[in-house]
Amino acid sequence: MGITAAFNASRTGLAAVESWSEMTSSNIANASRAGYSKRSAPMTSLPGGGVAVTGYARAADARLEQAHRQEISRVAGREVVASALASHAVVLGEIDSDTGLHGRLATFQSALDAVASDPAQPALQESAVKAAVAMASTLRGAADSLALIESDTRAGVRSDVSQINETLTDIAEINRQISRENGPTERRAALEDNLSTKLDGLSEILDIRTSFDAGGRISIFTTGGAPLVENDSVRVLKFDEQTDRLSIDGVDVTPGSVGSRGSEEGRLAGRLGLLGGDLPRMQLQLDEMARALVQGFEAADDSLAAGQPGLFTDGGDAYSAADLTGLASRIAVSDAVRSDAGGGAWRLRDGVGAVAQGPASDGRRIDGYVTMLAGTTSFDESAGLGQNRTLADFAAGLIADHQQMRNTARDEAEALGAGRDAAEAARSAVQGVNIDEELQQLMLIEQSYSANATVMKTLGEMMDTLLAAVR
């Protein structure tokens, strides 16, 4: 190798080492930054000798990224359901809880049994009325809890849809900026980091599929194939609150719908699953229990005139089949039996429609109430808890169904979380910064710098020797 070739090799080597050291330093400095993928400095040989850094190579594995994002979506969908139902589970209570729905019913039945054994005791009558009030209050509390969940869930859907559209707009802008970059520049690597972070956040809300064109621009689709971003074009996601439907350019992308082209995983799918199926069924179960109480006590009370409400009322009125929806949130004990509302607890014994007290030992109506509560009641099959059951069995089934829904979502989220964490670890092993490896790179950089500097020094000494020889 001639002096000129050796000089060129050392000069370009020092320049390459400079770029290499900058990338390594950047990797170390950004090791803990979310969304950062490590950079490397690919080198190529130059004609006539020497080397050059050809750009910024950003570590990426599309397969691992997709697998991780799928797991993110699956976990997020279960977590949002478990979180939404957590407070309702507390209000509803466990089956063996005295203050839960089943416990309140059991307490009321016991109070009625006590009145049946001694109908003349005013204290027992008052106690039974208070137990009835407590049960109606607990039923209303459970219904109000569901109403709050529905309101919060619908607000969450609106927020999710808005966030999706904003993120898609940001991604389209990143596409435009990437298309303006010439080759694997440092700026392009930073844009791709930003894009990766946006996609991770989007995956929590919506399960997505992606593809890239030759220029590095991304296209995003729902798992059903509906386009969200194509190059620089964004398709706006819309939510119809009247029907709880999602659409893109008029195409239905509602999760769980027959023929829908949407995504079945993610936070948005979890919320829409609650609105479209779970919450209406849970509400129907509570309304059916309220109906059985209102109708049952009306039928068992022969003191009532036509259209007159019984012990349990629909906000003070008799039961109307046309007003079943929301009955659990309106159920109340008749003022006629409540001493705090100007009534008298003796009407529990003599009938809510009674205008005067009857014989103190007459327990016919109390016996009828007890028999009704212990007997089989017909329930709406679509409530999903069986058609012919006792009220106690229906209440127990209702609590078990609501609690199981929350527990299942929570348990699935925990189980799927292990898969998400494993996918994240595998992705991080490929794309993340390993400080030990980067420190080893610094040692190689130091050695390379020293070698090139030594060559340059030696070349300088040789030139000095040659010049001295010709003087």
Side-chain angles (χ1 to χ4, degrees):
M1 177 184 294
I3 292 178
T4 302
F7 178 80
N8 286 336
S10 298
R11 180 180 58 79
T12 58
L14 287 173
V17 166
E18 180 182 6
S19 297
W20 186 9
S21 64
E22 288 178 356
M23 289 188 189
T24 302
S25 299
S26 177
N27 285 340
I28 294 174
N30 291 283
S32 60
R33 182 165 68 83
Y36 181 84
S37 286
K38 66 182 178 183
R39 317 301 200 233
S40 60
M43 299 184 188
T44 185
S45 298
L46 296 173
V51 294
V53 173
T54 56
Y56 280 70
R58 176 181 176 273
D61 187 313
R63 180 183 58 83
L64 289 176
E65 287 185 335
Q66 183 61 56
H68 182 214
R69 288 173 185 142
Q70 282 183 267
E71 296 303 315
I72 289 175
S73 296
R74 296 173 70 191
V75 173
R78 273 68 170 186
E79 284 181 339
V80 76
V81 173
S83 177
L85 298 179
S87 59
H88 178 67
V90 174
V91 172
L92 200 60
E94 300 291 344
I95 293 177
D96 57 355
S97 169
D98 292 338
T99 58
L101 191 59
H102 187 266
R104 294 295 191 192
L105 179 60
T107 300
F108 176 55
Q109 287 180 298
S110 296
L112 285 179
D113 289 337
V115 176
S117 66
D118 191 356
Q121 288 293 328
L124 295 179
Q125 296 165 9
E126 289 285 356
S127 179
V129 170
K130 288 180 179 178
V133 170
M135 188 178 64
S137 176
T138 300
L139 194 51
R140 288 197 307 273
D144 291 344
S145 171
L146 283 186
L148 180 60
I149 292 172
E150 180 181 356
S151 175
D152 289 347
T153 300
R154 188 162 278 111
V157 171
R158 290 195 297 269
S159 176
D160 284 344
V161 169
S162 176
Q163 188 175 344
I164 287 171
N165 287 329
E166 289 177 5
T167 301
L168 295 179
T169 299
D170 291 343
I171 289 173
E173 176 58 29
I174 292 172
N175 268 349
R176 283 188 283 271
Q177 294 182 42
I178 286 177
S179 67
R180 292 195 289 266
E181 292 299 310
N182 185 20
T185 62
E186 180 181 7
R187 174 172 167 74
R188 175 165 176 163
L191 289 170
E192 289 172 345
D193 279 347
N194 190 15
L195 175 61
S196 180
T197 300
K198 296 284 185 184
L199 293 174
D200 289 348
L202 187 61
S203 294
E204 288 190 15
I205 310 174
L206 192 70
D207 192 13
I208 57 174
R209 298 294 179 267
T210 61
S211 64
F212 291 86
D213 65 13
R217 295 181 302 179
I218 193 172
S219 292
I220 305 175
F221 306 87
T222 65
T223 53
L228 296 169
V229 172
E230 291 182 294
N231 299 326
D232 303 339
S233 175
V234 176
R235 307 297 175 89
V236 177
L237 183 66
K238 294 182 179 180
F239 175 53
D240 186 338
E241 293 196 46
Q242 302 301 316
T243 61
D244 290 335
R245 313 291 291 181
L246 289 176
S247 64
I248 299 174
D249 293 343
V251 176
D252 185 16
V253 292
T254 309
S257 299
V258 177
S260 169
R261 296 181 61 193
S263 298
E264 301 300 320
E265 301 287 357
R267 199 166 65 210
L268 185 57
R271 286 186 167 128
L272 287 171
L274 283 173
L275 291 177
D278 296 329
L279 291 179
R281 189 188 75 254
M282 295 164 75
Q283 179 64 56
L284 176 59
Q285 291 171 353
L286 291 174
D287 288 341
E288 276 292 282
M289 183 170 179
R291 177 196 59 77
L293 287 167
V294 175
Q295 273 193 314
F297 278 86
E298 285 181 0
D301 188 350
D302 59 4
S303 72
L304 299 176
Q308 186 177 4
L311 177 64
F312 291 97
T313 73
D314 181 356
D317 298 326
Y319 172 72
S320 171
D323 294 326
L324 173 62
T325 301
L327 177 59
S329 64
R330 304 189 302 271
I331 189 172
V333 172
S334 172
D335 288 346
V337 301
R338 297 179 57 177
S339 57
D340 60 343
W346 54 268
R347 288 191 176 89
L348 187 68
R349 177 195 64 204
D350 298 328
V352 175
V355 295
Q357 294 192 41
S361 61
D362 185 2
R364 290 182 301 108
R365 292 184 181 87
I366 296 295
D367 290 338
Y369 296 156
V370 170
T371 300
M372 182 272 297
L373 285 176
T376 300
T377 301
S378 178
F379 294 95
D380 189 336
E381 184 178 11
S382 59
L385 298 177
Q387 286 184 275
N388 298 300
R389 308 188 69 178
T390 65
L391 258 170
D393 287 343
F394 188 85
L398 183 154
I399 291 173
D401 187 49
H402 292 206
Q403 296 282 11
Q404 182 181 14
M405 190 182 311
R406 182 249 181 167
N407 293 339
T408 298
R410 180 194 60 198
D411 293 345
E412 287 182 353
E414 291 177 354
L416 291 170
R420 176 201 58 196
D421 294 343
E424 182 179 13
R427 178 182 174 183
S428 180
V430 173
Q431 299 181 194
V433 177
N434 185 313
I435 295 296
D436 290 338
E437 291 180 357
E438 298 305 317
L439 292 176
Q440 292 176 8
Q441 291 289 316
L442 286 178
M443 293 177 63
L444 293 175
I445 289 169
E446 182 181 4
Q447 293 171 5
S448 180
Y449 176 85
S450 177
N452 282 287
T454 299
V455 171
M456 293 291 285
K457 179 181 178 182
T458 302
L459 288 173
E461 292 174 349
M462 290 175 62
M463 291 297 296
D464 290 341
T465 301
L466 291 172
L467 289 174
V470 299
R471 287 178 184 161

